[in-house]
Amino acid sequence: MVVAASAVVAVASAAGTMTALGEDAADDRRAAHHDAPRTGPSAAGSAGSPLPSPSATAATPSGSPSPSASPTPSATRKPRAAAPARLYHHPESQVLDWVRDHPDDPRRAVVESRIASRPAAVWFADYAPGTLTSRVRAVTSGAAAQGRVPVLVAYAIPDRDCGGASEGGAPDLDAYAGWIDRFAAGLGSRETIVILEPDSIAQTGCLSADRRDARLAALARAGRVLRAANPKARVYYDAGHSHWNSPAHQAALLRQAGAASAAGIFSNVSNFRRTADEIVYDRQVLDLLGGPPGLGAVIDTSRNGNGAPADSEWCDPDGRTIGRAPTLDTGEPRIDGYLWVKLPGESDGCKGAAGEFSPSYAYELASSS
């Protein structure tokens, strides 16, 4: 992958964490109490959402007037706001496998409490259309059983990563269209977040003009197919990050890819840019993108607690730490969520093979301050 890119990792698993360090530690202290993962196929973590959500609990009155009270506004309390949606913690990942298999490792407690216990994205990165629908459905049905919101990453665009460490994907755009159809068939009918093809828009500089236009058209079709299959699916498009393309350039590409008709954009996937910088950048991109006022952004905070290194190194740089805990309750206008899209501890390709879990790297991320 080129230096500007996000160092996306081609994996198909999920992880999660209990607390965050670095610039965002205060936010994690507020979110430190969470449900313990349940055993079985639908274990879940916790998060919240300020947005109206189809899966959120319906508003219920917190009180009722006394039989002797007169029917005045002061006699009845206002109904409480709908309970916030909560993110789904998938029970299968490399970090969870490592935690289970290494009960006596001295790093285990830190890795388990600060990474393995948090909800993170589930990646679908291999081109295996024959099993794709059932694998997507296993995640969405597990989340539905708990009333939680899963985060799925669709990562199979042809020419993925411009031939870098995460190369691969579908053999061509026709095959990709079929892959997306099968992905969409597993989405179910509940609220779901789809991170559509990290790096696919920001990293189009390696493509000829014709191939770039064809890719953006394929992404526009993908968004339509996903939303048609599940109207409650919140599809987010690639905005790169705050130190990559200019907001105007990125917004123009996003518009061509149909992002103005989706839920919005995502940024910082697999990178280290500070949350505050991403908030400013994402709002600039959204303003330039246009579209309905409800468009928002989600930010990958999985490894940005200390920000990016001074030399902008993207491949497993030293001195990084986990960032804000995953949540859909950011308190920031137009910022729909802080998500752990990149799975902390899984290598960018320097401290291990791309996508390979490194316990030493995970421990470094979880224990740095």
Side-chain angles (χ1 to χ4, degrees):
M1 176 176 289
V2 296
V3 173
S6 303
V8 171
V9 177
V11 294
S13 57
T17 320
M18 186 173 76
T19 145
L21 306 175
E23 64 154 342
D24 301 318
D27 296 86
D28 285 326
R29 284 194 291 272
R30 290 195 295 269
H33 298 288
H34 63 91
D35 294 344
R38 303 183 186 180
T39 58
S42 18
S46 68
S49 171
L51 305 176
S53 165
S55 63
T57 303
T60 56
S62 59
S64 58
S66 165
S68 60
S70 58
T72 62
S74 61
T76 307
R77 295 180 183 176
K78 293 182 179 179
R80 285 188 288 185
R86 296 165 118 186
L87 291 168
Y88 176 60
H89 180 253
H90 190 51
E92 298 178 14
S93 70
Q94 292 186 76
V95 65
L96 287 170
D97 289 343
W98 182 85
V99 165
R100 295 178 189 121
D101 294 343
H102 296 81
D104 300 322
D105 192 294
R107 300 166 294 185
R108 181 181 184 272
V110 170
V111 172
E112 180 178 25
S113 65
R114 296 181 177 178
I115 294 178
S117 63
R118 279 295 187 191
V122 183
W123 288 68
F124 296 86
D126 56 331
Y127 181 70
T131 60
L132 181 60
T133 299
S134 62
R135 289 184 290 126
V136 172
R137 184 178 294 122
V139 177
T140 57
S141 62
Q146 296 297 317
R148 312 261 173 132
V149 180
V151 179
L152 311 181
V153 181
Y155 191 54
I157 197 76
D159 299 312
R160 187 175 68 197
D161 197 20
C162 294
S166 296
E167 65 180 339
D172 54 50
L173 288 176
D174 286 340
Y176 180 68
W179 189 89
I180 282 291
D181 292 345
R182 290 173 172 83
F183 185 99
L187 288 179
S189 59
R190 300 289 295 270
E191 184 180 2
T192 300
I193 291 173
V194 178
I195 304 298
L196 182 60
E197 300 295 344
D199 286 354
S200 62
I201 298 176
Q203 199 182 22
T204 53
C206 67
L207 304 175
S208 67
D210 288 347
R211 290 168 63 204
R212 180 197 64 215
D213 291 346
R215 173 183 285 190
L216 297 178
L219 291 170
R221 177 194 181 273
R224 292 193 300 269
V225 169
L226 296 171
R227 296 191 304 275
N230 178 3
K232 294 179 183 177
R234 295 161 58 178
V235 181
Y236 292 89
Y237 279 73
D238 170 42
H241 59 70
S242 58
H243 287 249
W244 198 342
N245 295 324
S246 71
H249 178 63
Q250 192 65 32
L253 294 172
L254 284 159
R255 192 178 306 110
Q256 188 176 348
S261 299
I265 62 175
F266 63 83
S267 72
N268 207 42
V269 166
S270 233
N271 215 276
F272 306 90
R273 301 296 167 179
R274 291 188 181 274
T275 303
D277 293 337
E278 294 306 296
I279 290 173
V280 172
Y281 168 74
D282 288 345
R283 286 173 177 162
Q284 290 173 335
V285 173
L286 289 169
D287 287 344
L288 292 164
L289 175 61
L295 290 185
V298 293
I299 299 169
D300 187 351
T301 60
S302 59
R303 304 187 299 177
N304 72 343
N306 283 347
D311 60 1
S312 294
E313 173 60 50
W314 58 264
C315 189
D316 301 333
D318 293 328
R320 303 310 98 198
T321 184
I322 54 180
R324 298 189 185 190
T327 181
L328 299 178
D329 188 3
T330 70
E332 291 283 351
R334 307 201 79 180
I335 306 301
D336 296 346
Y338 302 135
L339 304 177
W340 281 17
V341 182
K342 167 71 178 183
L343 310 178
E346 294 190 1
S347 176
D348 298 322
C350 292
K351 293 184 176 179
E356 179 180 83
F357 178 74
S358 167
S360 60
Y361 185 32
Y363 181 76
E364 177 187 343
L365 289 168
S367 59
S368 299
S369 59

